[in-house]
Amino acid sequence: MEPYSPGVQAYIEQGRQVMEREQNQRATMRRKKFDTIAVHGLYDMQSALENQGSIIEPAFLATAQHFTNSDHMEAGLAYLMPAWTYARVANPTLHYLEETLALLEGYGFDGEVSAHLTGSGMAAVFLGTNPFLMNDPAHPRPNIVASARCYGGTFTLFTRYANERGIDLRWVRDPLNLDEWSAKIDAETRFVFGEMPANPSLAVIDLAAVAGLAHAAGAPFIVDSTIATPALMRPLLHGADLVIHSVSKSMATSGFVIAGAIISRANIPSKVGPDEMRQNYAAYVKGYPHRDMGPTLNPFSALLTLNDLRTLRSRTDTSSQTAMQVAQYLGGNPAVESVQYPGLPGFPGYETAARYMQLVDADGQAAACFGYLLSFNVRGGAQAARQVFDRLQMIWRATDLGRVKSVATIPMISTHQQISGSDKDVAGLQPNLIRLSVGLEHPDDIIADLEQALA
Ligand SMILES: *Cc1c(COP(=O)(O)O)cnc(C)c1O
């Protein structure tokens, strides 16, 4: 590499100081509690003074950054100093949100954590997996091992990898069964993917055990933790290498945002790709594949998300308690065939869920806490389920979840409609299944709406 001129080197030195200050801010915030991190992130008093004193993170809506001179531009565009340059590549408002997400997902984790935002959860699933599928003559027969109990979009994306690129896609039908994971993971597995708890089946996974199997085969373990959020579960603590979020859901609970995130720990295993990709996956994706593919989040959406994220823990506590009441009510209603909720002692995987899903900083309260999402099968088949669904008076009929407002859907005709007939069987879906995302309404009113619909 050519030596940089003294002018460029001065900017590189300036960048080093900025990064050092951020490292100190991170160290300070890592000593705070979860709620404090959710409220403040890295945006401290000095950051405010650099932004006209604004006590709330500013929305930088401009497409590009002006540089002092050509030296500054050269240092910034060579990634030699922190710079946001052009809003497809980076943006200060997104940076505030990324730092907050990295701190929350890394809460209690002893190691470096980085985050990268995308324009949707699916873009995060794509950019969190696609780089592992690159061509490598040393590994000509790639396979992927993934829980079939996953979001419909993830199911169709992985099926697309298989159909369009000839990648050997190995679905794990029962993600609680470690023998099934172990039989499918081998020396050519590029990544191991799980979703916990799964949307809409709520299936759970013994994360530490599956991480162990993936690592023994030199593969990264990727976990879609959208439904749990870091308020309930932080997969990095249990051996996951990457955590994927659809930020669109309860993180941005107001329902104004589509966004996604990839959160990585340092030095992940991978059979393919450059060392840079292993060292800091989130930074690698930001600098290269994301820059080239361009699924960028809008800065205004990042600001709305920061705003909702501040109350994540207390909202999760309330909606989890309500969901538990609703699940218990549904379990006792004769019109309901079965209820899937990780907090019910009869649920397969209840013990695994109780081990992994705990309200952060519960401070002596019963910590086991199982989230806002549940699903139930209506007795009488598909038609009966549609009738119950059509009778709801307050709970919205929509393909959405994680909202302040309760929302229901029938996955077979919505989120999983695009999946072919035999694959629906692999995904373990039934036509009489209703998914219910419990909001922040009073539990009595949610139960009353279900009661009249099921009557
Ligand atoms: C919604 C969802 C996604 C996809 O996220 P979008 O933001 O809608 O693109 C991925 N995984 C899970 C578990 C989801 O619920």
Side-chain angles (χ1 to χ4, degrees), residues 337-352:
E337 200 172 76
S338 61
V339 183
Q340 285 76 48
Y341 186 62
L344 295 178
F347 181 75
Y350 163 73
E351 266 143 32
T352 304

Side-chain angles (χ1 to χ4, degrees), residues 68-357:
T68 316
N69 54 34
S70 56
D71 288 342
H72 187 197
M73 180 179 261
E74 185 177 351
L77 274 93
Y79 294 159
L80 290 169
M81 70 173 298
W84 58 282
T85 70
Y86 182 61
R88 168 160 43 76
V89 181
N91 171 282
T93 308
L94 268 64
H95 183 66
Y96 298 135
L97 177 55
E98 285 171 338
E99 291 292 338
T100 307
L101 289 175
L103 285 166
L104 294 178
E105 200 59 63
Y107 188 69
F109 178 72
D110 183 23
E112 296 283 322
V113 178
S114 312
H116 171 70
L117 283 167
T118 56
S120 71
M122 280 318 302
V125 177
F126 177 66
L127 286 170
T129 53
N130 182 61
F132 297 106
L133 301 177
M134 67 176 73
N135 244 347
D136 183 340
H139 297 281
R141 302 177 66 80
N143 71 69
I144 62 188
V145 178
S147 170
R149 302 302 180 105
C150 64
Y151 179 68
T154 304
F155 195 97
T156 50
L157 174 68
F158 290 179
T159 304
R160 183 178 297 279
Y161 287 155
N163 294 345
E164 293 179 357
R165 308 190 199 169
I167 285 158
D168 181 5
L169 171 59
R170 303 176 179 175
W171 287 124
V172 171
R173 283 171 174 249
D174 175 6
L176 259 187
N177 182 346
L178 292 176
D179 293 336
E180 203 185 336
W181 288 100
S182 159
K184 286 175 178 164
I185 297 169
D186 66 23
E188 295 310 321
T189 301
R190 294 289 182 91
F191 63 80
V192 175
F193 188 98
E195 182 178 309
M196 174 176 172
N199 168 9
S201 67
L202 284 306
V204 299
I205 299 172
D206 184 342
L207 296 179
V210 176
L213 294 170
H215 293 162
F221 182 39
I222 305 169
V223 177
D224 182 335
S225 189
T226 297
I227 307 303
T229 81
L232 288 186
M233 187 176 86
R234 291 173 304 291
L236 297 179
L237 270 63
H238 308 293
D241 299 291
L242 302 184
V243 177
I244 306 283
H245 281 287
S246 168
V247 173
S248 327
K249 308 297 166 50
S250 63
M251 284 183 172
T253 190
S254 300
F256 299 131
V257 166
I258 295 290
I262 301 169
I263 294 141
S264 61
R265 70 170 170 81
N267 301 319
I268 66 168
S270 175
K271 297 179 172 108
V272 296
D275 280 345
E276 230 178 324
M277 171 169 143
R278 281 178 275 267
Q279 282 156 7
N280 185 336
Y281 189 88
Y284 168 79
V285 166
K286 179 183 295 300
Y288 307 100
H290 180 107
R291 176 199 64 189
D292 301 339
M293 295 171 188
T296 305
L297 181 64
N298 175 301
F300 193 64
S301 292
L303 190 70
L304 292 172
T305 304
L306 273 169
N307 206 40
D308 279 352
L309 203 52
R310 307 192 209 275
T311 53
L312 182 67
R313 197 193 81 94
S314 51
R315 282 191 280 114
T316 305
D317 188 8
T318 307
S319 59
S320 296
Q321 290 183 33
T322 307
M324 180 64 112
Q325 280 187 50
V326 172
Q328 282 166 347
Y329 160 76
L330 288 169
N333 189 310
V336 173
E337 200 172 76
S338 61
V339 183
Q340 285 76 48
Y341 186 62
L344 295 178
F347 181 75
Y350 163 73
E351 266 143 32
T352 304
R355 198 143 45 87
Y356 287 104
M357 298 176 71

Side-chain angles (χ1 to χ4, degrees), residues 11-62:
Y11 282 103
I12 296 172
E13 170 55 23
Q14 193 181 315
R16 199 191 53 73
Q17 288 171 18
V18 171
M19 287 189 284
E20 199 177 285
R21 174 168 127 72
E22 283 216 326
Q23 199 51 34
N24 292 337
Q25 285 172 288
R26 267 184 220 110
T28 302
M29 288 316 289
R30 286 183 84 155
R31 290 191 290 271
K32 310 269 192 232
K33 295 287 192 178
F34 190 91
D35 279 335
T36 310
I37 294 169
V39 168
H40 290 274
L42 277 199
Y43 193 78
D44 62 4
M45 290 183 174
Q46 186 176 331
S47 314
L49 291 173
E50 288 162 6
N51 285 292
Q52 316 245 357
S54 174
I55 66 168
I56 303 296
E57 298 85 339
F60 285 86
L61 300 179

